[in-house]
Amino acid sequence: MTEPELKTTPFYEEHLKNAAKIVPFAGFKMPIQYPAGIVSEVLNVRTTAGLFDVSHMGEIEIRGKQAADFVNFIVTNDVSNLPDKGVLYTAMCYPGGGIVDDLLVYRLENYFLLVVNASNIEKDFSWITENSAGFDVEIANKSDETAQLALQGPVSEKIMQNIADIDYGSLGFYQSARTEIENVPVIISRTGYTGEDGFEIYSPADRSTFLWQKILDAGEKFSACPVGLAARDILRLEMCYCLYGNDISKDTTPLEAGLGWVVKLEKQDFVGKKVLLDQKQNGVDRRLVHFVMNGKGVARKGFAIHSAGEVVGEVTSGAYSPILDKSVGMGYVKTGHHKINSRIDIDVRSKLFEAVIVKPPFYKNATHK
């Protein structure tokens, strides 16, 4: 069977110019790191700013008279009160409560923009389309037509002030604005996946290449640098943000994952509500926990979690955090073993390493507004 050809983003040539190490990821050729190295990239984002190519993410538009009702039906959060240009984090579930994807919902003038994970684009589009029967909506997959960059770090606003003329003082966390950069229409939102102040910039894929260098040039005096997928994964883990395919999947529910804050059971019917309501009333059998390793071992996905000699769960994400100088991780454990300050042991290649369950996030000094 012939493997499908990998796609490239509008900024692929820029990654090559910056000597990025390219790897296959979610059907794309993506930069995993640059010559400065993963640790340097992580620290740069925490102290100044870093630029990510996230054009592999998917963008799906929902239009029509019943767009709001339909979006509310397929996601767990409530978009009823989402203001114009507001942004919402949510989950999208199967009837059994398992997670189809986690995503951002933008309310833009007369339509909704759903930003989904790269590996789930086709699956999500099919799922959304299949569940639209009875709703007066139009659904369009705009992923191939859309470029997306993310500038993240405490000086991001200072850099963006030289890129686009908008009122950053009034652009709050999880809000967006429309403007133009060199006559190219863009949507800029104060969102991100690192915990730092920052912006995600959406633009037409065929007119966006210049944006990469323009942002880096504006960020040069702050030592802003390109950042790859490896550093992005550490940054999101330091903030305890879930990664689809690791920490959440079709086999986990939002309540098991600690995402109950994006499940609005009081709103009208939505896909998965019945099971989630039952879990809310009767409890869940397992919980996602966040732990810090006490020794030198590094937890990885799939490693067993022990408690008092019993296997009680499994690691879903783990890495060394350069800003904390500790190894941290996330994983599911049986309910009852999930309490803060509980000691657990991680089986790292047949050797047990002590860890302690802590309150998230691991990194407490993030600058997001």
Side-chain angles (χ1 to χ4, degrees):
M1 186 174 178
T2 305
E3 293 290 332
E5 186 174 347
L6 295 173
K7 296 180 180 179
T8 57
T9 76
F11 310 107
Y12 180 67
E13 293 299 324
E14 302 302 319
H15 303 320
L16 297 182
K17 289 177 187 175
N18 284 279
K21 181 180 179 181
I22 303 294
V23 299
F25 181 81
F28 286 81
K29 295 179 182 178
M30 295 297 295
I32 191 165
Q33 69 175 92
Y34 296 85
I38 298 167
V39 171
S40 176
E41 292 171 23
V42 170
L43 296 177
N44 225 65
V45 172
R46 291 284 181 232
T47 55
T48 57
L51 181 62
F52 304 74
D53 177 7
V54 283
S55 301
H56 58 312
M57 301 289 284
E59 291 82 16
I60 296 172
E61 291 182 359
I62 312 288
R63 298 174 183 268
K65 293 179 180 178
Q66 293 183 287
D69 290 339
F70 176 59
V71 174
N72 247 355
F73 177 66
I74 58 170
V75 303
T76 62
N77 210 331
D78 190 351
V79 304
S80 300
N81 298 318
L82 185 63
D84 184 31
K85 297 182 176 58
V87 188
L88 193 72
Y89 176 71
T90 185
M92 183 163 61
C93 287
Y94 293 106
I99 299 173
V100 180
D101 204 357
D102 66 328
L103 60 150
L104 293 181
V105 177
Y106 288 67
R107 188 167 203 150
L108 299 169
E109 298 93 22
N110 58 347
Y111 71 100
F112 290 85
L113 173 67
L114 278 52
V115 181
V116 304
N117 282 297
S119 58
N120 292 337
I121 295 173
E122 298 304 325
K123 180 190 73 174
D124 288 3
F125 183 67
S126 296
W127 177 254
I128 292 168
T129 303
E130 290 167 9
N131 282 276
S132 66
F135 289 93
D136 185 1
V137 293
E138 300 167 11
I139 304 165
N141 183 356
K142 298 290 185 180
S143 303
D144 289 342
E145 304 167 30
T146 308
Q148 185 184 351
L149 292 174
L151 181 67
Q152 296 282 293
V155 303
S156 293
E157 182 176 320
K158 293 179 180 177
I159 295 172
M160 288 300 294
Q161 285 171 343
N162 295 305
I163 301 296
D165 185 19
I166 63 173
D167 182 3
Y168 292 97
S170 63
L171 187 66
F173 193 43
Y174 271 61
Q175 293 180 339
S176 68
R178 284 189 185 275
T179 187
E180 291 188 350
I181 302 175
E182 297 187 11
N183 298 318
V184 174
V186 299
I187 297 171
I188 297 174
S189 61
R190 199 163 207 147
T191 51
Y193 195 44
T194 66
E196 300 302 334
D197 188 23
F199 302 88
E200 293 181 311
I201 306 122
Y202 302 85
S203 56
D206 58 353
R207 300 170 62 190
S208 298
T209 305
F210 75 98
L211 278 172
W212 177 268
Q213 195 57 51
K214 186 176 181 68
I215 294 173
L216 286 180
D217 287 345
E220 185 174 7
K221 66 179 179 181
F222 300 104
S223 301
C225 71
V227 181
L229 292 172
R232 184 173 183 249
D233 191 50
I234 293 172
L235 289 158
R236 72 90 190 165
L237 178 58
E238 288 175 342
M239 291 302 298
C240 297
Y241 294 156
C242 290
L243 174 65
Y244 193 89
N246 280 40
D247 314 300
I248 53 175
S249 72
K250 64 180 178 60
D251 298 318
T252 58
T253 75
L255 297 182
E256 292 171 337
L259 296 175
W261 60 280
V262 300
V263 178
K264 306 302 183 187
L265 292 168
E266 66 277 11
K267 73 171 184 176
Q268 291 188 339
D269 194 29
F270 62 91
V271 181
K273 181 176 180 178
K274 183 178 179 181
V275 171
L276 295 174
L277 186 59
D278 179 72
Q279 287 190 340
K280 180 70 174 179
Q281 293 172 339
N282 299 306
V284 296
D285 294 330
R286 59 178 180 166
R287 301 277 294 271
L288 186 67
V289 297
H290 313 83
F291 60 85
V292 175
M293 305 287 286
N294 287 337
K296 292 184 178 180
V298 179
R300 299 296 185 192
K301 181 182 178 182
F303 287 4
I305 300 175
H306 296 243
S307 176
E310 176 191 1
V311 176
V312 297
E314 185 174 294
V315 175
T316 55
S317 290
Y320 168 76
S321 163
I323 195 79
L324 301 171
D325 192 23
K326 295 177 180 176
S327 293
V328 297
M330 299 162 63
Y332 285 90
V333 298
K334 297 176 184 176
T335 299
H337 296 274
H338 67 283
K339 296 180 180 177
I340 303 299
N341 296 324
S342 295
R343 175 189 159 169
I344 54 175
D345 296 292
I346 309 299
D347 186 342
V348 181
R349 299 180 179 85
S350 301
K351 184 177 180 180
L352 294 182
F353 285 81
E354 184 179 308
V356 177
I357 296 174
V358 300
K359 184 179 180 180
F362 299 121
Y363 182 63
K364 310 291 187 186
N365 299 318
T367 58
H368 65 275
K369 296 181 178 178

